[in-house]
C-alpha cells in the first residue's frame, strides 16, 4: 500500500478514535458556508474511509444523517447541497445508514433535489437515492412520492451521473 494511503487511513482512524466526527457534525450548521463545504467534504471522507468499530456507529450516534438531511432541506448554495448529498450517499452504503435515512424521511427532500436547476445537485441527490433505495422501504417511498416520473424525466439529463438504478420494482 502506498505511503500516502497508509497516512490517510491513520489520520481517519485518529480522528474517529478521538470522537472528532461528532464535533464536526455538531458544529456544522453554525459555520459560514465556505467552512460548511470543507467540513462536509471532511465528513464524507471520514464516513467513506472509516472502519469498524467507528463507522457507521459514530456518524449515526452523532445524528449525522439528521444534520445532512436538514442541510438539503434548506435553501443552500449548490456546493452545500452537493456535499450534503454525497455524505448521505456515503453513510447510506451501510445498512444502518439506509435504515436511518428511511426512518427520518431523507428520501423526499432528495427527490425534490432531483428537480434542482443545477445538474451537479441532481447528480448528487440521485447518487444518494441510489444508495438508499437498495432498501425496499426506500423504494416504497420513491413510489409514494411519485419519484418515478421525475426519474424518467432525468433520462434526458446531460449529466450522465444523474441517471440512477432507482427504478427496480420494490416488490421483487
Amino acid at each position: 500500500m502506498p505511503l500516502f494511503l497508509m497516512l490517510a487511513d491513520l489520520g481517519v482512524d485518529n480522528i474517529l478514535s478521538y470522537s472528532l466526527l461528532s464535533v464536526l457534525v455538531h458544529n456544522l450548521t453554525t459555520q459560514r458556508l465556505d467552512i460548511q463545504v470543507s467540513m462536509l467534504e471532511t465528513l464524507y471522507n471520514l464516513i467513506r474511509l472509516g472502519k469498524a468499530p467507528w463507522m457507521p456507529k459514530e456518524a449515526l450516534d452523532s445524528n449525522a444523517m439528521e444534520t445532512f438531511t436538514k442541510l438539503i432541506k434548506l435553501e443552500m448554495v449548490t456546493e452545500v447541497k452537493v456535499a450534503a448529498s454525497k455524505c448521505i450517499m456515503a453513510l447510506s452504503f451501510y445498512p444502518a445508514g439506509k435504515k436511518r435515512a428511511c426512518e427520518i424521511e431523507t428520501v423526499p427532500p432528495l427527490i425534490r433535489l432531483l428537480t434542482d436547476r443545477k445538474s451537479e445537485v441532481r447528480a448528487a441527490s440521485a447518487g444518494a437515492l441510489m444508495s438508499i433505495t437498495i432498501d425496499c422501504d426506500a423504494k416504497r417511498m420513491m413510489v409514494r412520492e411519485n419519484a418515478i416520473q421525475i426519474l424518467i424525466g432525468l433520462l434526458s439529463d446531460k449529466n450522465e451521473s444523474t441517471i440512477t438504478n432507482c427504478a427496480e420494482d420494490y416488490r421483487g
Side-chain angles (χ1 to χ4, degrees):
M1 177 183 289
L3 180 62
F4 73 91
L5 287 178
M6 289 189 293
L7 292 174
D9 282 347
L10 182 61
V12 167
D13 289 346
N14 282 333
I15 289 171
L16 294 174
S17 68
Y18 287 106
S19 299
L20 296 176
L21 184 138
S22 62
V23 174
L24 285 169
V25 170
H26 177 72
N27 290 304
L28 183 59
T29 58
T30 63
Q31 300 300 315
R32 293 187 336 242
L33 291 177
D34 57 332
I35 304 296
Q36 280 184 353
V37 172
S38 293
M39 291 172 76
L40 284 164
E41 289 170 354
T42 301
L43 286 163
Y44 169 73
N45 284 310
L46 289 171
I47 293 165
R48 189 173 61 86
L49 299 172
K51 298 174 184 70
W54 302 292
M55 257 326 122
K57 185 179 181 338
E58 180 84 15
L60 295 173
D61 288 351
S62 64
N63 293 320
M65 186 66 80
E66 289 83 351
T67 302
F68 303 147
T69 302
K70 179 180 175 184
L71 286 173
I72 64 168
K73 285 181 179 178
L74 300 173
E75 289 299 318
M76 288 288 184
V77 296
T78 297
E79 292 80 7
V80 171
K81 290 188 275 191
V82 168
S85 294
K86 285 174 60 177
C87 287
I88 291 168
M89 178 183 67
L91 192 50
S92 296
F93 284 139
Y94 300 97
K98 287 179 203 0
K99 183 178 181 203
R100 179 70 61 86
C102 290
E103 290 170 352
I104 66 166
E105 300 274 324
T106 300
V107 172
L110 284 169
I111 292 170
R112 282 190 283 287
L113 289 182
L114 290 174
T115 60
D116 194 274
R117 60 185 178 84
K118 297 285 190 168
S119 67
E120 53 267 36
V121 173
R122 294 191 303 271
S125 64
L129 285 166
M130 178 184 65
S131 183
I132 296 168
T133 56
I134 292 170
D135 179 86
C136 286
D137 289 336
K139 286 182 178 121
R140 288 183 192 98
M141 281 186 207
M142 293 283 289
V143 170
R144 185 180 69 223
E145 297 286 329
N146 281 331
I148 304 305
Q149 290 302 323
I150 297 169
L151 290 170
I152 290 169
L154 290 177
L155 291 174
S156 62
D157 197 296
K158 301 292 185 236
N159 186 338
E160 63 187 48
S161 299
T162 306
I163 300 170
T164 70
N165 69 353
C166 296
E168 180 184 334
D169 188 349
Y170 66 84
R171 293 169 289 192

